[in-house]
Every structure is written in structure tokens, then in C-alpha cells.
Amino acid sequence: AAMNKRVWKLQDFVAHSGDVLCARLGEKSGQVLATGGDDKRVNIWKVGKPNAMMSLTGHSTSVECLVFDKHEEVLVVGCGGGSMQVWNLEYQKMAGTLAGHRAACTSVEFHPYGEFFASGSADTNLKVWDLRRKSCIQTYKGHTGMIDSIRFSPHGRWVATGARDGMVKIWDLTAGKIMQSLAVHKGPITTVAFHPKEYLLATGSTDRTMQLWSLETFQVVGSSELYSSPVQVVKFYVEEQAVLSASQDSLRLYPLDGFAGPVPPQDTIEVDWRGLQDMRLCFPEEKLIAITAERSQLGIWVADLQKHETGISKCGGVNGYGRLHTASRPPAGGAAAHHQGQGQRQVSRHPPAEEPDAGDPLGPEFSDYLAEPEPEHDQTVHGGIGSGLGRGHVPSSSSDRTVRPSAAERMPTRAESSPMAARGRAMPGDLPEQSGERIAAVAEPQLSAAAAAAAAVRGREQGVEPPVDDGPCPAGPVPIHRPKRSVTEDFDATPALMGQHLQMMGVLQRRLNQVRRLKELWAVGNMAGLTNILNMPQDHAVFCDLARVIMQPHHDGALSLDACQTLLPILVDLLRSKYEDFVSVSLQFAQVLLAKFGDLITDTRRSCSGMLERQMDFAREERLEKCNACYEHFKEMRRLLPDSSDGKLSRSVRSSLQRFLRHC
């Protein structure tokens, strides 16, 4: 059969002696693959290699699900009997067994900060586990069907579950309760995914549709057209401002801008992915790796996302979106770019031996695997347990290799740019980092280069060449001289500039909208409405500005016990931040709240402790509940402030908290 030129099978082998029940790629490298089967084994593979790197045994029942931690050092395995095993992959030893589900464990997922994970089961319950304590710390009940998909939000405060009852539920881990139930699908939920930077959630179902949800309104904002088979996996393609949705027979790309349903896809690739288990995007190759399982056979596929069937403007993108990474980046090292004809471009590069590969997160060998195979060769690697066959298609010449950009021109890797990889409590829609220094470090080289290119173009249009000072510099740092850029190279910088511009515009627009909402609610004293906004993922910088305003003497009269209960959890989050400014605001505001409400909380807790149980005073009970909540938040803040904290402010707040907690 003729092979689809945009998708090919990299490997096909027997992975287990019985049926393969689950498979998962590591998020850090994308090269490590774990598989589990009804033979009660877990096998660990390296993509492109025919033999398993290790085999983990000791499970009492079939392996139903598994997941790597973000460092690919720990593997959590869910079994058919309801138990979970935690494996240390460095030592290839089982670190512990966790029991709690009454039926098969069907889904596991690590928290973005790595110290916790969640499990879903056929008993319809969701459990959150602490790996340090090796115990369950939260249990959520509400589904009426088996939980098949779990995903944490990037900021780590929410977890979404999809179950066979057709419901998607979003749970608030801070409050310990359900936050929202989403019911639009007409069949079991097969997959859920949070957008790393936007207030969006994608869901797929056996009803053969994908839905896109706003996490601000919790309403459907987009819907796919009907597939011919169930949607198996959804994944956001951030670099293209799009979402990918895969069924058994097609991989479809939908742009997020103007996505309202049901709409036809922007791009479609025909596939044959029965039993799709996992997908991962690879950069800068613009390839997608897919893992399929059918009985004992495991298939590893590569799809080329560069060759869009529908035209995409390199400058403006689709529907106004620019591409955040393109194949036409300006070459590094002064390499010249020559246009041949209207649509072809050839880049002159250094010899492969001189091209650094250290910056490639996937490594040169892995990039070779992703290279499109020649049609006349059999590109599939056959192997498996006990097989000694060599790996698949290896490029034999420089023209057969995929051209990878050098380390200097490569865009930030997924691990560097994802908010889930940073422990700075980043939120969807935040800047890459809250620190201005980090923002400058990421954005300045691209923006300054593009700005210089634009200035050069304007100068040439006016017949003025930019001045070049080749003489010695009498004082100050030695200037860096760069070769003159051609107009072609200037235009090549446009896509990167447009991508950064649109991303920054989106961030600033979200901040502006949030500030306007807070201002409107503050103006009318609507603390209940303020609570609804502040309980959503939001920019810490915006909240710090709000806190500074509230702390002003002529505004502190607007503070109430309700406001104190609302704002304290956010202060706890700020206290965990790695940015000193956020921690400082948290401490200052905590001191204000403690001075204003400390005595009220202490008196209420003391007076109500001796109240008779039969005494009915609903107002008093409600006030006690609020005071108890505030007490717990202050207690958590004291725990987060170590005794060795430096700084006058830290010592003052710690001393105040100790006195308050002692009197309570």
C-alpha cells in the first residue's frame, strides 16, 4: 500500500507477551516510552531502539495505566486490582505500593510540581496522593462512570477528569471540592487537555466530537465537525495557536482564533491509528510522535506537521496568528540565504561536523529518526522483546538529514517555555516569567534583531545606508560588528517578530481585561464578585497592584471578614513565589489583615468553643466558619515562613503570626 507522505511508521514490534493495555511517553525528552500489559509487566523503551531498556515485574494484576514524572526518574503504575506501584527508574526498584481504590485503577497523572499525583478508577473516585507521605490526601466523588482521563491545570490548583458517564469535572484542589461540571458530550469522555497559557480546555469523546471550553465562562467556545470514529487524543499546538485532535483515521488541526463549531479543520492528515495511546510534539522538527497499541503489537508513528494541506501565511499566520516558529528563521553564523524561484530557498550551512548538537533536547540521533523516510525504502523497525534487529532508516547523506537550527538560533524548548516546568506558580496567560530580567533575556534578542532589520529596510528604502563604525572604540565596551543583512533575511525575521508580538498582545489584553473587572467590582464594593475573579487563575502582578491599593489607609475600610477569607489563599500562593516582590507584598498584606482581623478571629474562636451544640445561632456559626478558615490560612503562612527567614519584614510577620496562633 502507498505510504502517506505526511505520516509513516517508525517502529512496529511485539511489546508484551499479552495484550498491550497502556503506553506513555516521557514529557521531558520524548525519547522514553513505558508500556504496560496484561502480562503484569512494565517495559521501558527508547524510541527508535528495538529492545527494551528494562522490564519491571512484581505487579499482582494487569497494568492498566502509567505515567512518568517530569524528570523521567519516577514511574507510577496503576493496576487492575486497584493498587498503584511507584518505581524508581534509576535503581529499577519498586519504591512502594499504594492501595485505596476498590476497582481497577484506570488513569494516573502527575501534578506539575512533581510531588503529588492523581489516580482515577473504575470505582468512579478520584484520589490525590502525596509521594513524600506515600498516602492519599484527597478523595473526590461525583462521577457515575469509570474515570478514563485526568489532567492537572498548568498552575496546579485544578484537576480535570473525564469519565464514561459523559461528564467532565473540574476540581479545585485548594478548596477540596468540585468547581464545575461540563456536560455537552453525548458519549464517554476519552481525553482532556488544558492549554498551557490560555484559559482553555479541550475534550474528546466517543460521540466523535472535540469540544473547546472557556475556563472563564465554562461554556463551549468551539466544536469540531463530526469524526467518523471516536476522538482518542487532543493536544494543544501552542506554536501554531491551534489544537490537534486525533481519531482512528485522521489527525486534524483547528486554529484557536475564530474557532466556533462545528467547523471544518484547517488541516487534516489521514492516519491508521487504532488504539492510540499518546502523542507528543517535537521541536524544532515540527513532527508529532504517536503511540498505538493493538493486541501485543506496539506502533510508533511520525506525522509531519510542516506540510500543511491548506496554505498558511508565513508572515501573518492563519486568521491573524503568526507562527511562533518557522522553517525560515534567519540562519546563524552569517550563512547566506539564496532564493531559487518563487517558492524555494536553500540555506548554506557549516559542515555537519562543526554544527553543535548540544542544544538539541532530543539529540542528533533522535532527530535522525524523525527524518522523513525515502519512499523506496522500508523505514519500519521490527523488533521487540528479545529481538536484536537494528534500528530503522538512518540518513546516509547530509541531504537526507533533517536540517536542525544551531543552538544559537533555536527557539526555547518546550521544557523551558512551559509554565508547568517552572515552579514559580505561573498561570495560564502569564508572561514567560514574572521577572522582567527573564522576559528581557528571552524576548530581547529576537525583538532587537527584528527591529534592527526593520530599521535597515527603511534606511535602504530612503537610499540611506546604516552607518558602520569599523574604527577603534576609544572608550566603553568593544562594539559587536555583524555582517550586513539582506532584504530577504530581514523579511525572514518577520514571522518570529509577529509570533512574539501576537503572544505579547494576548498577554497584555488579558491583564487589561482583568484589571478592568477588578476595578469595576472594587468601585461598587462587590466583594462577592471579586471573590469569583480571584478564585480563578490570575496574574500575580495584577493582584499585587490590587493589594497595594487596598493597603492604603483610606481604602482599608473596604476590608471585611469575607474579603480576608477570600484574599488569604492568594497571599499563601504569593508567599510560595520565587519572586521577592510578590513575597514582600504577601507579607505586608498579611500584616494588615492580621492587625485588622486577628483579635476578631481570636475572640470568635474562643467564645464559640464553649457554645452549646444545641444552641442555634446561624449568624454566629457562619462567622465561626469564616474565622476558622482564616486561622488555617494564617497557620499555613506561618509554616511557610522558616525560623531562619532573613529580613526585618519576615521576622516581624513571623513574630505576629506566632502570637496570634498562640492566643487562638
Side-chain angles (χ1 to χ4, degrees):
M3 182 183 65
N4 188 326
K5 292 184 178 180
R6 297 188 62 192
V7 60
W8 59 92
K9 183 176 284 188
L10 179 67
Q11 287 179 272
D12 186 13
F13 55 87
V14 175
H16 289 267
S17 59
D19 289 349
V20 179
L21 301 180
C22 55
R24 196 79 179 263
L25 286 162
E27 287 293 324
K28 180 181 179 181
S29 68
Q31 298 187 57
V32 182
L33 170 66
T35 61
D38 60 8
D39 58 1
K40 306 176 186 178
R41 284 178 174 268
V42 170
N43 292 324
I44 310 295
W45 313 80
K46 184 173 182 180
V47 174
K49 298 293 185 180
N51 300 319
M53 294 193 296
M54 65 182 78
S55 187
L56 310 177
T57 60
H59 310 98
S60 58
T61 53
S62 60
V63 175
E64 301 288 334
C65 55
L66 35 72
V67 64
F68 288 100
D69 75 330
K70 64 180 179 181
H71 301 296
E72 297 176 355
E73 296 171 352
V74 176
L75 185 77
V76 172
V77 177
C79 295
S83 66
M84 284 146 288
Q85 279 72 42
V86 181
W87 289 88
N88 184 317
L89 297 180
E90 183 179 357
Y91 297 101
Q92 300 184 30
K93 290 185 178 180
M94 187 183 294
T97 297
L98 304 173
H101 289 295
R102 301 188 306 273
C105 179
T106 52
S107 183
V108 285
E109 185 69 19
F110 260 103
H111 191 275
Y113 305 144
E115 297 161 347
F116 310 94
F117 75 92
S119 63
S121 170
D123 65 8
T124 73
N125 293 337
L126 170 73
K127 290 181 177 290
V128 180
W129 305 80
D130 188 335
L131 278 178
R132 296 166 299 183
R133 301 179 186 174
K134 296 183 180 179
S135 62
C136 176
I137 56 175
Q138 288 179 328
T139 299
Y140 296 99
K141 300 181 179 182
H143 281 293
T144 58
M146 178 189 299
I147 297 174
D148 282 324
S149 185
I150 301 173
R151 287 294 183 272
F152 283 97
S153 60
H155 55 67
R157 294 209 300 265
W158 297 351
V159 60
T161 53
R164 297 192 181 181
D165 57 8
M167 299 288 292
V168 175
K169 293 183 181 291
I170 301 177
W171 313 84
D172 188 331
L173 298 176
T174 304
K177 61 183 180 181
I178 189 168
M179 189 173 69
Q180 199 72 33
S181 291
L182 310 178
V184 168
H185 287 290
K186 299 178 181 178
I189 307 300
T190 54
T191 176
V192 296
F194 280 97
H195 192 291
K197 299 178 181 180
E198 306 281 350
Y199 300 108
L200 295 172
L201 178 77
T203 60
S205 168
T206 58
D207 66 3
R208 300 181 292 159
T209 66
M210 178 196 68
Q211 306 288 347
L212 191 66
W213 303 80
S214 165
L215 295 179
E216 293 181 302
T217 63
F218 298 104
Q219 300 295 320
V220 173
V221 294
S223 179
S224 70
E225 61 183 6
L226 204 63
Y227 283 72
S228 58
S229 58
V231 175
Q232 299 180 103
V233 178
V234 293
K235 186 172 285 289
F236 283 100
Y237 191 2
V238 179
E239 287 70 16
E240 288 288 347
Q241 292 285 350
V243 59
L244 290 164
S245 177
S247 67
Q248 177 179 310
D249 48 24
S250 66
L251 173 66
R252 302 182 185 183
L253 183 144
Y254 294 89
L256 296 180
D257 187 26
F259 182 32
V263 297
Q266 172 189 301
D267 189 20
T268 301
I269 303 176
E270 293 183 2
V271 298
D272 184 14
W273 290 349
R274 293 183 180 88
L276 181 62
Q277 301 291 319
D278 198 9
M279 298 193 312
R280 186 186 185 277
L281 290 160
C282 298
F283 304 109
E285 293 86 356
E286 295 189 75
K287 302 289 197 299
L288 180 138
I289 296 181
I291 310 297
T292 61
E294 189 172 10
R295 297 192 177 181
S296 61
Q297 289 287 124
L298 194 78
I300 303 180
W301 303 77
V302 179
D304 187 353
L305 302 178
Q306 272 187 304
K307 302 176 181 178
H308 295 295
E309 292 178 0
T310 57
I312 295 182
S313 168
K314 293 284 183 182
C315 296
V318 179
N319 294 327
Y321 281 101
R323 290 165 60 100
L324 301 187
H325 70 294
T326 71
S328 57
R329 296 192 195 97
H338 304 282
H339 280 262
Q340 298 179 345
Q342 182 67 24
Q344 298 180 349
R345 186 168 72 92
Q346 184 176 0
V347 180
S348 166
R349 301 189 64 88
H350 296 292
E354 298 178 14
E355 183 177 336
D357 279 318
D360 192 338
L362 300 178
E365 184 179 354
F366 189 63
S367 298
D368 290 343
Y369 287 125
L370 297 181
E372 184 175 351
E374 296 179 356
E376 61 270 22
H377 289 93
D378 180 9
Q379 77 290 349
T380 304
V381 176
H382 298 281
I385 302 173
S387 172
L389 296 178
R391 66 184 176 94
H393 171 71
V394 180
S396 57
S397 67
S398 60
S399 63
D400 197 14
R401 290 173 60 92
T402 52
V403 179
R404 297 186 301 278
S406 66
E409 63 177 325
R410 184 175 292 113
M411 292 289 285
T413 65
R414 172 171 171 157
E416 295 167 344
S417 61
S418 170
M420 298 179 69
R423 198 173 171 119
R425 271 41 178 185
M427 303 296 171
D430 279 356
L431 291 168
E433 294 276 350
Q434 295 286 1
S435 167
E437 296 177 358
R438 173 61 180 159
I439 294 170
V442 174
E444 185 176 351
Q446 298 172 16
L447 295 179
S448 60
V457 171
R458 288 194 297 270
R460 293 189 193 100
E461 289 175 348
Q462 297 168 5
V464 178
E465 286 294 327
V468 178
D469 183 9
D470 290 323
C473 184
V478 178
I480 299 174
H481 301 292
R482 296 181 176 87
K484 294 182 180 180
R485 296 164 57 91
S486 67
V487 176
T488 299
E489 290 176 308
D490 294 334
F491 284 124
D492 287 341
T494 304
L497 175 60
M498 288 298 297
Q500 291 291 332
H501 170 73
L502 290 167
Q503 185 182 21
M504 184 63 69
M505 285 293 292
V507 170
L508 296 178
Q509 185 62 50
R510 283 188 294 275
R511 286 191 177 184
L512 178 60
N513 291 341
Q514 191 172 30
V515 169
R516 284 173 175 168
R517 289 180 195 146
L518 293 175
K519 179 182 177 182
E520 291 171 0
L521 295 171
W522 182 262
V524 297
N526 185 354
M527 293 305 298
L530 201 68
T531 301
N532 294 333
I533 291 182
L534 294 178
N535 281 337
M536 297 178 64
Q538 35 80 46
D539 191 318
H540 279 175
V542 174
F543 174 76
C544 286
D545 290 337
L546 173 69
R548 292 186 183 100
V549 172
I550 297 176
M551 285 188 287
Q552 294 178 9
H554 56 285
H555 281 152
D556 62 355
L559 287 172
S560 64
L561 188 61
D562 288 332
C564 182
Q565 183 184 5
T566 299
L567 300 176
L568 274 173
I570 304 172
L571 296 182
V572 172
D573 268 354
L574 284 176
L575 196 57
R576 294 190 179 106
S577 174
K578 60 184 179 182
Y579 304 115
E580 293 183 4
D581 186 44
F582 294 169
V583 174
S584 176
V585 170
S586 176
L587 293 174
Q588 293 174 34
F589 204 3
Q591 209 163 27
V592 170
L593 294 178
L594 198 57
K596 191 172 182 65
F597 300 105
D599 292 341
L600 173 63
I601 295 171
T602 301
D603 294 343
T604 302
R605 284 171 55 84
R606 282 181 174 179
S607 62
C608 291
S609 61
M611 189 172 60
L612 296 176
E613 294 183 1
R614 295 182 181 179
Q615 186 176 347
M616 303 295 289
D617 188 341
F618 292 114
R620 198 173 189 181
E621 289 178 3
E622 184 179 358
R623 186 168 65 253
L624 175 62
E625 184 179 349
K626 294 174 183 177
C627 289
N628 285 337
C630 293
Y631 171 81
E632 292 298 329
H633 292 312
F634 279 126
K635 187 176 179 181
E636 176 66 9
M637 294 189 78
R638 173 61 188 92
R639 187 187 69 81
L640 293 173
L641 274 175
D643 294 332
S644 59
S645 296
D646 294 329
K648 182 178 179 180
L649 179 60
S650 296
R651 291 195 297 270
S652 174
V653 174
R654 184 172 65 247
S655 176
S656 299
L657 285 171
Q658 285 174 336
R659 286 196 303 270
F660 166 74
L661 296 174
R662 188 166 56 249
H663 292 155
C664 272

